[in-house]
Amino acid sequence: MLENKNVALYVSGGIAVYKAADLARQFIKQGANVKVAMTASAREFVSPLTFQILSKHHVYTDTFDEREGDQVSHIHLADWTDIAVVAPATANTLAKLANGIADDFVSTALMATTAPVFVVPTMNSHMLENPATVRNLQQLEADGRFVMEPDTGFLAEGYEGKGRFPEAVNIVETVKGFLRTQLNNLPLKNKQVVVTAGGTKERIDPVRYITNDSSGKMGYSLAIAARDLGATVTLISASRQLVQPFGVAFVQVDSAKEMQEAVMQAYEQADIVVMAAAVSDYRPSNQAVEKIKKNEATMTLTLDKTTDILAELGKQKQHQFLIGFAAETNNLEKYARGKLKQKKADMIVANDVSKPHAGFNKDTNEVSIFMADEDPIELSVRSKQEIATEILRVAINQMKK
Ligand SMILES: Cc1cc2nc3c(=O)[nH]c(=O)nc-3n(C[C@H](O)[C@H](O)[C@H](O)COP(=O)(O)O)c2cc1C
């Protein structure tokens, strides 16, 4: 996605300047050409030499240091740029960008650039909350700049707060996500895809719950695959242990009931719904408010059936393409074909979870795809990410029929 893209990295003077060196490296690793411009304050923290060595280009620092007779440096950099990234963006530099001030190389070149500009505000949390900064960030968004959320955590000042420089890979992923949306030939462009993932948790009491072995990996892979095929994706996750994918709207849930509510809310707008979550079939009839004490020798837990979300989606289906999953240990085809019919699904992806390379918690999977009146499509063992892309490609072909 970033191969041969020209990235102009504008570095202003915050304590996180050293992290921008890693950011430059990450862009280069992805195949981008990187040129760096630094403010005078940024140079107080890290020498331009660091960025010069990493980028293999002269670092721009002074508007009037015109080295080439036939070009004006700040215009040349601005015109060369495919993507501009201001990171770290100080309160001062983002204020200049929001208000059209061009009084040094960075602000002047940014004024001249017509490329998409990503701003990574990085500062003390009180500076970030300052009404002027809030106003400036709103202005930048209104001007069509892409403002990234700073991270929350331990600040250089010694206390917790929002304003940290995000992980470099996350900045790169955000830029890649934007570039992806610019591609017009992606098969799921303008499509809304809803994916559920993970095993739901049904509370017995405040410290105990019923769940299952689903890690959420298959669902997360499907959300990433749908995003990369151009879709607008909502991932409804009962898993909390995986890294939230970039460029995907994320809804955290715990119980089957919460998952049902979230899916139903997204259903009308959805073009494709992939129910990859392992939703509990039963929940405790009563959830104890306080921790249950071990007073008795035996204990009976009464369970109620939860709503079958896939069946409910089937009942309310209009234009949506419904993909369900079946994790079985025997009679795969019989169960999968039964599910297809009873739940009015368009496709059932079945996996034999007793196999060593398939199912819960694994990084690989091996599945059979069932559709009405067609032979199953067998996908042999491969990564869940590859399986996810294949499943969606089959769905895309099926939707064209
Ligand atoms: C040690 C130190 C750390 C600083 N860290 C930040 C920061 O993280 N974010 C910020 O907006 N300003 C920070 N500043 C203040 C800026 O350097 C200052 O506002 C400067 O004028 C910014 O100039 P520039 O935007 O041209 O780089 C820091 C200053 C010092 C001395």
Side-chain angles (χ1 to χ4, degrees):
M1 197 61 63
L2 279 161
E3 195 73 20
N4 291 324
K5 286 273 182 273
N6 292 339
V7 175
L9 177 58
Y10 293 94
V11 183
S12 57
I15 190 71
V17 171
Y18 72 98
K19 295 186 180 173
D22 183 38
L23 180 60
R25 236 173 41 84
Q26 297 293 340
F27 275 120
I28 293 162
K29 242 170 98 177
Q30 299 274 333
N33 309 308
V34 174
K35 290 188 180 181
V36 180
M38 298 176 81
T39 64
S41 306
R43 283 178 274 135
E44 293 287 334
F45 293 89
V46 171
S47 155
L49 186 62
T50 303
F51 289 97
Q52 182 180 315
I53 302 296
L54 289 173
S55 69
K56 300 191 171 60
H57 288 287
H58 156 74
V59 173
Y60 300 93
T61 55
D62 183 347
T63 323
F64 295 96
D65 178 16
E66 296 291 10
R67 293 168 179 236
E68 311 293 333
D70 59 345
Q71 53 186 244
V72 175
S73 299
H74 63 276
I75 303 293
H76 179 70
L77 177 65
D79 289 348
W80 171 88
T81 303
D82 293 317
I83 296 280
V85 182
V86 191
T90 58
N92 177 58
T93 289
L94 65 84
K96 288 194 209 173
L97 185 57
N99 291 284
I101 295 169
D103 65 353
D104 64 358
F105 187 94
V106 164
S107 51
T108 308
L110 278 170
M111 187 80 102
T113 199
T114 54
V117 178
F118 288 79
V119 179
V120 185
T122 311
M123 63 198 71
N124 169 273
S125 52
H126 303 309
M127 289 173 83
L128 189 66
E129 288 157 8
N130 183 292
T133 308
V134 172
R135 223 172 27 243
N136 289 330
L137 288 173
Q138 282 168 352
Q139 186 58 55
L140 288 174
E141 284 190 328
D143 292 345
R145 314 302 190 188
F146 300 92
V147 177
M148 273 195 73
E149 276 285 293
D151 275 2
T152 300
F154 195 69
L155 301 172
E157 292 76 5
Y159 50 85
E160 291 277 321
K162 191 169 175 182
R164 281 168 60 85
F165 195 82
E167 295 292 328
V169 283
N170 292 347
I171 300 174
V172 172
E173 282 304 317
T174 303
V175 172
K176 280 166 70 179
F178 164 79
L179 291 171
R180 233 175 262 123
T181 63
Q182 303 303 100
L183 299 174
N184 282 319
N185 56 353
L186 289 172
L188 290 178
K189 178 111 182 149
N190 298 326
K191 297 276 184 225
Q192 303 265 353
V193 176
V194 175
V195 182
T196 65
T200 59
K201 293 190 187 87
E202 309 304 326
R203 285 259 157 225
I204 300 169
D205 69 10
V207 295
R208 303 180 180 97
Y209 53 77
I210 301 173
T211 190
N212 55 64
D213 273 332
S214 168
S215 61
K217 284 179 186 168
M218 195 62 237
Y220 277 56
S221 301
L222 280 152
I224 291 167
R227 176 199 70 190
D228 291 353
L229 290 165
T232 304
V233 182
T234 303
L235 173 61
I236 301 169
S237 174
S239 166
R240 288 178 181 269
Q241 70 215 55
L242 302 174
V243 179
Q244 211 171 302
F246 265 82
V248 163
F250 188 81
V251 183
Q252 183 74 65
V253 295
D254 284 313
S255 65
K257 187 162 181 289
E258 286 171 11
M259 179 160 281
Q260 183 192 351
E261 284 164 5
V263 174
M264 288 306 172
Q265 203 173 357
Y267 194 39
E268 201 173 316
Q269 304 294 323
D271 296 293
I272 301 176
V273 178
V274 193
M275 284 295 300
V279 183
S280 297
D281 296 322
Y282 291 90
R283 75 164 69 87
S285 305
N286 297 305
Q287 185 187 319
V289 182
E290 285 173 7
K291 186 182 167 196
I292 299 168
K293 298 279 180 251
K294 51 176 178 187
N295 296 333
E296 311 294 333
T298 61
M299 181 185 155
T300 306
L301 205 56
T302 313
L303 304 175
D304 291 338
K305 229 177 181 170
T306 58
T307 305
D308 184 330
I309 304 176
L310 184 59
E312 199 55 39
L313 295 175
K315 272 189 219 155
Q316 298 186 26
K317 189 157 85 166
Q318 296 159 358
H319 57 278
Q320 296 89 346
F321 189 90
L322 265 188
I323 306 176
F325 271 70
E328 307 292 348
T329 51
N330 58 327
N331 276 337
L332 205 65
E333 174 146 14
K334 182 169 162 247
Y335 285 120
R337 291 221 178 265
K339 244 183 162 175
L340 200 57
K341 214 167 170 178
Q342 289 146 20
K343 308 199 178 182
K344 298 202 182 83
D346 297 285
M347 181 189 277
I348 292 290
V349 181
N351 50 4
D352 182 343
V353 289
S354 64
K355 286 195 175 169
H357 300 293
F360 291 148
N361 257 312
K362 311 269 166 51
D363 290 323
T364 54
N365 211 351
E366 179 183 356
V367 303
S368 310
I369 301 177
F370 294 93
M371 287 165 292
D373 308 323
E374 296 197 27
D375 288 336
I377 297 172
E378 309 286 347
L379 301 181
S380 58
V381 179
R382 61 198 86 173
S383 74
K384 283 191 170 166
Q385 199 54 65
E386 287 170 90
I387 295 269
T389 306
E390 273 312 303
I391 290 170
L392 291 173
R393 288 207 181 277
V394 173
I396 291 161
N397 282 340
Q398 194 68 8
M399 285 164 80
K400 285 187 198 146
K401 285 185 183 168

